[in-house]
Amino acid sequence: MVRLTRPRVLVLVVAAVLLAYAVALAPVTTSGGGEGAAPRPPAAAESGAVVPAGADGPPLQLAPELFPPAGKAFVGVMTDKGPYDFTAVDRFAAAARREPQVMLFGVGWESGTFDRVLFDRIKDRGMLPMLGWEPWDYQADRAARKQKKLTARQIDRLRSTQPRYRLSRIAGGEFDGYLRSWAEGVKSLGYPVAIRFAHEMNGDWYPWCEKANGNRPGEYVEAWRHVHDLFERAGATNVTWVWSPNARWSKTTANLAQFYPGDDYVDWVGTTGYYGTGAWSRYSSFDAIFGPTIAEIRTFSRRPLVVTETGASDAGGHKAQWIRETFRTLPKHRDVIGLIWFEVDKEKDWRIVSSRAASTAFAQSVAAPHYDVRWSPELVPRTDLDE
């Protein structure tokens, strides 16, 4: 044991005084402030920030890199099997000689529980996942189509009549547990995804259309906002919300504004339409099919627009011509930031691989610089036309 003699006590007192002096002096000699102090080198910039040499104040934040870049448009794809089997995607990419940057795939609420693997598979292929989220039991559609004697309109009435999925039940909270499980799952992904919720609401062939299934005017907007707000409360802010009506097929199908939830609830507006069926069975240009719808949407929204589904049949022998004209026309629509091709043989063969002429036309068209786009999880989806 050490004895504290008078000399040792004196040494300890002197040491304590010197230590106190050093502590008091330290802020003056090491801080960046104070007269006569040596300047401190700039701190390392945070991610996405730039600190100019010799500049004071906080670092400058770099603007995020947007998808797609200004003046560009992405090319996406939807296939029959989606992320469960990429064979059709590989054939599409080979024919197009360009990898798609977005993949749309559908999930129905009846059996569609959240599955991270599906999103990761798409992301790992360099594509933004776009979920076509559909509040219905799609098995009713399959069952109706097996009844060979039914007309197309009879099939529409059968599959759209599903009282369990009335809009009022969605808005009323009956599906909140299911919605919350998806919101938490999407949030956990940690990268951007797009959700096209309840598309083609201006028709009468789905249970979520206001003209079907006992729904009432105004309930579509109520259901949309309820779903959106639940995701926001869950912290699933990595979602790009996509609102997509069917392209107007006659003058009587206007008034899309009644179905629009508002720019505060929508990030991308969209539309679907096909050449070679229904009102557009005869040759119809891109502007003939989509022009009136785009013009009407622009009266109530300034969000970027995506053609979320399109395709062309070759029934009239003009498929390759329509493809070329469409991709030449798109750059004239500066608000259109993307197009998703329906690469499926369903009712008609919409695929670009259906013929060499179609494949060649598509590949040559998307080779233009306007479509030279890449996607990665670090990119921020463009949601403002002025960005």
Side-chain angles (χ1 to χ4, degrees), residues 151-162 204-205 212:
T151 66
R153 292 302 294 155
Q154 288 174 327
I155 292 174
D156 286 346
R157 282 194 291 272
L158 280 176
R159 73 178 194 169
S160 65
T161 304
Q162 298 188 31
D204 60 4
W205 46 83

Side-chain angles (χ1 to χ4, degrees), residues 19-253:
L19 179 61
Y21 176 77
V23 171
L25 187 62
V28 177
T29 59
T30 60
S31 71
E35 186 177 355
R40 183 174 59 186
E46 297 178 0
S47 176
V50 173
V51 181
D56 293 327
L60 300 175
Q61 294 294 324
L62 289 176
E65 190 174 352
L66 300 178
F67 174 80
K72 304 276 191 177
F74 67 75
V75 175
V77 67
M78 182 178 190
T79 65
D80 184 38
K81 298 187 183 301
Y84 296 97
D85 184 345
F86 284 96
T87 302
V89 177
D90 292 336
R91 290 173 179 167
F92 174 87
R97 290 177 236 158
R98 186 181 290 283
E99 294 291 334
Q101 302 95 51
V102 174
M103 184 175 190
L104 171 64
F105 70 104
V107 172
W109 283 18
E110 178 65 24
S111 58
T113 56
F114 178 78
D115 184 353
R116 180 190 181 107
V117 171
L118 302 180
F119 291 87
D120 285 344
R121 285 175 180 169
I122 297 172
K123 183 261 296 183
D124 291 344
R125 296 279 302 238
M127 296 182 288
L128 169 71
M130 182 183 290
L131 167 68
W133 212 21
E134 303 171 356
W136 72 329
D137 179 1
Y138 67 88
Q139 294 291 353
D141 176 62
R142 292 185 176 181
R145 292 180 185 277
K146 289 180 179 179
Q147 301 183 46
K148 301 298 184 181
K149 295 182 179 180
L150 295 179
T151 66
R153 292 302 294 155
Q154 288 174 327
I155 292 174
D156 286 346
R157 282 194 291 272
L158 280 176
R159 73 178 194 169
S160 65
T161 304
Q162 298 188 31
R164 170 171 164 73
Y165 294 101
R166 282 185 179 140
L167 293 170
S168 59
R169 291 188 166 182
I170 299 172
E174 292 188 28
F175 292 90
D176 280 5
Y178 175 77
L179 296 175
R180 198 170 292 110
S181 70
W182 271 84
E184 293 170 352
V186 169
K187 176 184 176 182
S188 72
L189 293 173
Y191 53 81
V193 300
I195 295 181
R196 185 185 72 164
F197 172 65
H199 65 298
E200 298 178 9
M201 75 302 294
N202 57 325
D204 60 4
W205 46 83
Y206 288 124
W208 56 82
C209 297
E210 285 191 357
K211 297 178 182 178
N213 203 28
N215 296 319
R216 298 178 180 178
E219 289 182 341
Y220 180 84
V221 169
E222 292 175 4
W224 177 289
R225 290 178 175 176
H226 181 81
V227 173
H228 175 280
D229 288 347
L230 189 148
F231 270 66
E232 288 287 308
R233 289 193 298 270
T237 56
N238 55 323
V239 176
T240 297
W241 292 95
V242 185
W243 177 84
S244 184
N246 197 84
R248 289 170 44 182
W249 57 94
S250 73
K251 293 181 179 179
T252 65
T253 56

